[in-house]
Amino acid sequence: MRPVDARAQLRYNGTNFKCDDEGEKMNYRDLLTEEEILEVRNGDRTEAITDVAYDSRRVGPGAMFVAIFGFATDGHRFVEAAIEQGAAVIVHQADLARYHDDVVYLKVTDCRRLLGHIASRFFGHPSEKITVTGITGTNGKTSSTYFLTGILRAAGKKCARMGTIDNQIGDAVLDNKGRTTSESRDTQAFIAEAVAAGCSDLVMEASSQALDLDRLTDVHFDYALFTNLTQDHLDYHKTFEAYFEAKARLFDQTEKAAIINRDDPWGRKLINRIRERHPKLKIITYGEDPAADYRLSAVDCTTGGSTFTLQAGDEKETIFLDVLGRFMVYNAVGTIIAAREQGIDWAAIKAALADAPVVEGRMERIKTNLDFDIVVDYAHTPDALENLLKTVKELARGRVIAVFGCGGDRDHGKRPLMGAIAAKEADFSVLTSDNSRSEDPEAILDDIEAAVRPITDQYTRIADRREATVYALTHARKDDVVIFAGKGHEKTETSRNGVRPYYEKAVILDVIEQEKIGK
Ligand SMILES: CC(=O)N[C@H]1[C@@H](OP(=O)(O)OP(=O)(O)OC[C@H]2O[C@@H](n3ccc(=O)[nH]c3=O)[C@H](O)[C@@H]2O)O[C@H](CO)[C@@H](O)[C@@H]1O[C@H](C)C(=O)N[C@@H](C)C(=O)N[C@H](CCC(=O)O)C(=O)O
Ligand SMILES: Nc1ncnc2c1ncn2[C@@H]1O[C@H](COP(=O)(O)OP(=O)(O)OP(=O)(O)O)[C@@H](O)[C@H]1O
């Protein structure tokens, strides 16, 4: 196969990246190897491909459409629609009902997997032209990407970031279309755009679903960071082992160093897995464990931020992080190591963390003039809820009131776990809805309440989240901390009635205003 160089200029038009007229033209033979193609029809047509698409609604004239067997539907059903939109080449794995003479058909064994390879070739293997750090783990990915980009920017680098809240190239904020880690074609296009914009670094979250669904195929990671592993997404992965294995795949495509939280038991398991499979990959560990390469100690968390000491060999630094909570210290330490590996000096690291950005909906303090505190946090896993409540308990002078729920159509096992945690850790819980999706919200509350009731009677249940907010805020007393867990930065609420706008921070401020709380 002929090596494909960077596409000359890429421009972002909101949905698609397109090759500039001066860019190198590629036909299907440049994008798939002979071994990858099982069968070709009309293979003598070799016009330049204008784009690679996996969704018929985003196909333009001259594009290659890759038909994917999905969970909800089958891309093969949309081949004719793609051709109507102008697709010149169809990549498929099932036989089709109809073949046109003026369209090239390439039959392959695994369209989803191949899409990443095709897109990487089409966009000129962009991840080889930028330093890529991937962050995986159940909790802490988003916060870590913010910390690391903050440090890299403080050191004068132009960075791109991809994750749950949004995607960024330099200062430009792009829509992530609701995905933590985009589909492989969009990931490759995004990296190419970051390269074209002159970014030296990309920091991205790598979700377990993305790793499992080949969305990161052909992304070359320089550094990979593992934060922790606790229960989540078992509706998708089924077993903890499979969930771990999906996360671990990130380290199979990492070249320079694996940075791992040694205090997490799954982190220790990951170290062994890497030693067996990739003996040459550098492993750097962190944590309070005396065997950690970066040893964490003297962690002191207050409402004003956290101070901690980090020792690596002879180097010992005391660092201040302007963010609440012990677990955020762990997130910061992983990113410090990624920065140190890239040669960033301690001064830039300390400056960035002392002025760390508030990550929307992550331990976010809502500013009011009330005599109790309000914190919004995205905690929606048992582990995150436990950490959150324990952290706030350490800091609170009064009671801790937790407002939370569990998602519908997702891992049911989380419900009793989260109920029991709130019952033990909070002084009072308000059980409510959190994206009940197609389920009956009251049935979800039944599952949570079943675990709360045997432990405490200090709770109430109100399915309507706004009403639950009114209850929590009107019952809070001086020095209490009211925690709204689960929705974080999200802007919508999904239930059987559809998707409605719901932005936790705005609802809280509105309730305070409407109910005249504190007046
Ligand atoms: C399980 C999963 O990840 N599914 C994602 C996946 O769906 P899919 O591949 O099964 O596609 P499908 O909807 O069945 O359609 C099959 C094919 O037909 C195509 N199609 C469909 C309709 C049409 O008119 N024309 C057309 O060509 C589709 O583009 C697709 O290629 O590809 C779709 C398009 O990119 C995603 O919208 C969809 O995300 C679903 C909604 C989802 O919920 N994903 C979650 C689980 C997820 O990925 N989450 C993680 C983070 C989780 C976390 O950390 O909290 C993430 O990285 O975002
Ligand atoms: N290191 C950590 N350990 C445990 N809990 C954490 C940690 N970091 C963050 N959290 C909790 O997890 C929530 C989500 O944090 P963050 O968005 O940074 O993680 P994430 O891995 O990106 O999660 P998601 O993929 O669900 O968006 C936070 O609101 C916080 O409650």
Side-chain angles (χ1 to χ4, degrees), residues 322-376:
D322 185 25
V323 179
L324 294 191
R326 189 182 172 80
F327 54 80
M328 286 294 184
V329 169
Y330 273 78
N331 297 338
V333 170
T335 64
I336 290 172
I337 300 169
R340 289 297 292 155
E341 283 299 294
Q342 295 186 50
I344 310 293
D345 62 39
W346 282 105
I349 291 172
K350 286 185 182 180
L353 295 178
D355 188 23
V358 175
V359 189
E360 209 191 349
R362 271 68 177 171
M363 288 301 269
E364 188 178 358
R365 283 162 280 188
I366 305 298
K367 291 198 183 85
T368 66
N369 47 21
L370 300 171
D371 59 3
F372 57 90
D373 288 310
I374 302 171
V375 173
V376 171

Side-chain angles (χ1 to χ4, degrees), residues 140 143-148 151 225 227 259 286 294 296 306 308 310 319-323 325-339 346 349 353 356:
S143 310
S144 300
T145 59
Y146 273 65
F147 293 158
L148 185 53
I151 294 171
L225 167 48
T227 59
I259 301 162
Y286 63 93
Y294 278 74
L296 176 64
S306 311
F308 57 96
L310 204 54
I319 295 149
F320 172 71
L321 174 69
D322 185 25
V323 179
R326 189 182 172 80
F327 54 80
M328 286 294 184
V329 169
Y330 273 78
N331 297 338
V333 170
T335 64
I336 290 172
I337 300 169
W346 282 105
I349 291 172
L353 295 178

Side-chain angles (χ1 to χ4, degrees), residues 137-143 164 205 228 327 331 361-362 377-380 383-384 387:
T138 308
N139 294 306
K141 297 183 294 297
T142 305
S143 310
T164 308
E205 296 183 43
N228 49 58
F327 54 80
N331 297 338
R362 271 68 177 171
D377 189 271
Y378 191 43
H380 55 273
D383 180 60
N387 279 316

Side-chain angles (χ1 to χ4, degrees), residues 41-60:
R41 274 176 202 247
N42 308 328
D44 49 339
R45 301 186 66 96
T46 54
E47 287 92 341
I49 304 290
T50 56
D51 199 356
V52 174
Y54 58 89
D55 193 307
S56 59
R57 292 160 293 194
R58 290 170 65 188
V59 168

